[in-house]
C-alpha cells in the first residue's frame, strides 16, 4: 500500500505550526526541514516544508504562500480516552484560536480540530432513540464537550 501523508498548506509559518503541534501531542517530533533554494519563488533559505509526526501519524507542513487557507471542510479528530484528555487538548489547541460548537475548534493557525471523548460514539448510537436524541441535543449546546453532562442528559427521563 502507498503511504498517505496529509499536507497542510501554510503561508510562512509551517515550521512554527509543526513545532507547536509536536509540543501538544505525545510521541511526536520534527523529522526534517527543507528550505527554498536559489531558483525558488520565495527567498533562498526560508522554510519550504517540514515533515513531522504526531503520535505516529506523519504530516507535511508546506509554506506555499497566502493563496490557500484552512476552513472547516477538513478537520483533524482527536479521539480522547476521557474528559481529562478532552480538557488538555481543548486548552492547548484553542489557545490563541477560536472555540466552535460541538467539540470543534480552530487553532491559532486556522486548522480545525474535533476534540471528542471516546464515549460520545456510544452515546450518540445508543439503541434507545430517546437516549441518543438527548445526548445529541446536549452535545449541540456545547462548545467543549463535557461527557458527564452529555451522559446525564442522555440518562434524564424523556
Amino acid at each position: 500500500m502507498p503511504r498517505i501523508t496529509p499536507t497542510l498548506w501554510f503561508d510562512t509559518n509551517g515550521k512554527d505550526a509543526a513545532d507547536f503541534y509536536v509540543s501538544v501531542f505525545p510521541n511526536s517530533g520534527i523529522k526534517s526541514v527543507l528550505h527554498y533554494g536559489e531558483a525558488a519563488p520565495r527567498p533562498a533559505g526560508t522554510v519550504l516544508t517540514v515533515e513531522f509526526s504526531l503520535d505516529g501519524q506523519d504530516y507535511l507542513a508546506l509554506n506555499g504562500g497566502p493563496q490557500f487557507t484552512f476552513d472547516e471542510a477538513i478537520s483533524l479528530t482527536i479521539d480522547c480516552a476521557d474528559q481529562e484528555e478532552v480538557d488538555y487538548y481543548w486548552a492547548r489547541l484553542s489557545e490563541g484560536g477560536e472555540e466552535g460548537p460541538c467539540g470543534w475548534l480552530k487553532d491559532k493557525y486556522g486548522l480545525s480540530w474535533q476534540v471528542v471523548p471516546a464515549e460520545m460514539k456510544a452515546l450518540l448510537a445508543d439503541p434507545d432513540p430517546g437516549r441518543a436524541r438527548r445526548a445529541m441535543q446536549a452535545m449541540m449546546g456545547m462548545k467543549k464537550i463535557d461527557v458527564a453532562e452529555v451522559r446525564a442528559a442522555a440518562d434524564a427521563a424523556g
Side-chain angles (χ1 to χ4, degrees):
M1 288 289 296
R3 185 173 191 97
I4 298 171
T5 302
T7 298
L8 306 173
W9 182 293
F10 297 89
D11 180 6
T12 59
N13 56 359
K15 177 71 166 70
D16 293 337
D19 286 339
F20 172 67
Y21 299 143
V22 301
S23 78
V24 171
F25 293 90
N27 308 312
S28 300
I30 302 295
K31 297 171 93 172
S32 70
V33 178
L34 180 64
H35 296 86
Y36 279 101
E38 292 297 328
R42 295 259 171 122
T46 60
V47 174
L48 170 60
T49 62
V50 180
E51 291 181 73
F52 63 103
S53 176
L54 301 180
D55 200 20
Q57 170 65 53
D58 289 338
Y59 293 87
L60 182 73
L62 167 68
N63 283 334
Q67 300 91 322
F68 303 111
T69 57
F70 296 119
D71 67 26
E72 292 81 0
I74 184 143
S75 63
L76 302 178
T77 301
I78 307 167
D79 294 316
C80 299
D82 53 30
Q83 190 66 46
E84 184 178 354
E85 280 191 357
V86 169
D87 295 346
Y88 167 78
Y89 288 111
W90 189 268
R92 289 296 310 274
L93 292 169
S94 66
E95 186 178 318
E98 176 183 329
E99 295 183 353
C102 307
W104 285 64
L105 64 86
K106 280 188 180 182
D107 67 28
K108 60 187 170 185
Y109 300 101
L111 184 59
S112 291
W113 297 84
Q114 297 179 57
V115 184
V116 184
E119 190 177 343
M120 282 306 301
K121 184 183 278 187
L123 287 165
L124 296 175
D126 194 287
D128 175 347
R131 201 163 183 274
R133 180 182 43 75
R134 290 187 298 274
M136 176 66 80
Q137 287 174 332
M139 181 192 70
M140 295 296 287
M142 297 178 177
K143 289 188 181 235
K144 178 179 74 172
I145 296 174
D146 182 323
V147 73
E149 283 186 33
V150 173
R151 190 181 321 110
D155 291 341

